[in-house]
């Protein structure tokens, strides 16, 4: 009998699956943006955190543009130093603002940009299941961040993914924060409770 795969094993398989999905359609970010439900839009002036796509992550930039056009303020995450147990910080970003590499090789806003607490958090991931669990990169940044934000105020957390990143069931620990739903290029999937 095969042993249960570890999260590390699952990450390797999920990265390969995401890379295949990424190579299929270069315009998938537009489909993702179009699939975002109108009733999930934050009110104008509220803050939505997104992310600048890294490697084979689904392109969130068309969705960021759609949100900004509706008057939603966009923030991007600033990652703490490697090995830190701090939550992510979010800084306001607008089209045309300078971005630079942070502690990880991802694009982040300028350190002088305004810090904001998002009302909507758009989360990258490697894999997801329909219960709202996600497989991330293993550092726990988004789990700590969502726990911190949810202790302060109501926050909606939506994973962004290719539809092909879905898996039947992911292992979940006590510190794993569930997403409220997942948005793919094929539509929105609300998280469900499964006994």
């Amino acid at each position: 009998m095969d042993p249960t795969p570890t999260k590390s094993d699952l990450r390797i398989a999920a990265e390969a699956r995401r890379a295949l999905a990424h190579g299929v359609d270069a315009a998938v970010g537009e489909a993702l943006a179009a699939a975002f439900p109108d009733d999930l839009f934050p009110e104008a002036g509220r803050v939505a955190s997104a992310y600048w796509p890294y490697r084979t992550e689904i392109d969130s930039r068309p969705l960021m543009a759609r949100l900004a056009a509706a008057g939603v303020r966009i923030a991007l995450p600033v990652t703490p130093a490697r090995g830190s147990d701090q939550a992510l910080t979010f800084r306001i970003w607008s089209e045309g603002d300078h971005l630079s590499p942070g502690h990880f090789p991802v694009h982040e806003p300028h350190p002088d940009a305004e810090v904001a607490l998002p009302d909507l958090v758009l989360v990258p991931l490697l894999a997801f299941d329909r219960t709202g669990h996600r497989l991330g990169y293993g550092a726990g940044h988004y789990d700590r961040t969502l726990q911190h934000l949810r202790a302060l105020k109501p926050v909606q957390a939506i994973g962004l993914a290719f539809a092909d990143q879905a898996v039947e069931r992911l292992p979940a620990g006590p510190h794993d924060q569930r997403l409220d739903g997942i948005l793919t290029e094929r539509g929105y999937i609300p998280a469900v409770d499964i006994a």
Side-chain angles (χ1 to χ4, degrees):
M1 185 166 148
D2 291 332
T4 302
T6 65
K7 281 191 175 182
S8 294
D9 296 332
L10 292 171
R11 281 188 187 94
I12 292 167
E15 284 195 71
R17 202 167 44 251
R18 187 176 73 182
L20 284 173
H22 183 265
V24 171
D25 185 358
V28 74
E30 297 291 340
L32 182 83
F36 191 82
D38 291 340
D39 62 340
L40 294 182
F41 264 75
E43 295 176 11
R46 297 279 189 173
V47 176
S49 75
Y51 60 87
W52 201 263
Y54 176 63
R55 293 184 182 163
T56 60
E57 290 173 345
I58 196 163
D59 191 353
S60 57
R61 292 172 294 187
L63 178 54
M64 289 164 44
R66 185 175 173 213
L67 288 163
V72 178
R73 299 175 75 208
I74 303 298
L76 295 176
V78 175
T79 308
R82 198 174 294 273
S84 168
D85 63 354
Q86 293 181 336
L88 298 168
T89 303
F90 297 94
R91 293 187 179 275
I92 297 295
W93 175 83
S94 297
E95 184 68 37
D97 287 355
H98 176 73
L99 294 169
S100 57
H103 293 292
F104 293 82
V106 295
H107 290 84
E108 297 180 351
H110 190 275
D112 293 337
E114 176 189 351
V115 173
L117 291 177
D119 303 288
L120 168 66
V121 181
L122 302 174
V123 184
L125 51 85
L126 288 170
F128 69 90
D129 67 23
R130 61 193 192 115
T131 68
H133 287 105
R134 65 180 277 276
L135 185 66
Y137 297 111
H141 292 304
Y142 273 97
D143 289 316
R144 284 191 297 277
T145 300
L146 291 174
Q147 182 179 26
H148 170 73
L149 290 172
R150 286 169 168 163
L152 297 175
K153 65 178 196 169
V155 173
Q156 180 118 7
I158 298 174
L160 302 185
F162 297 98
D164 289 347
Q165 289 176 253
V167 297
E168 185 66 30
R169 196 74 182 255
L170 286 169
H175 301 294
D176 292 332
Q177 293 286 308
R178 285 179 61 192
L179 302 170
D180 297 294
I182 298 91
L183 179 69
T184 79
E185 76 279 16
R186 295 181 198 155
Y188 180 70
I189 304 164
V192 297
D193 290 319
I194 297 176

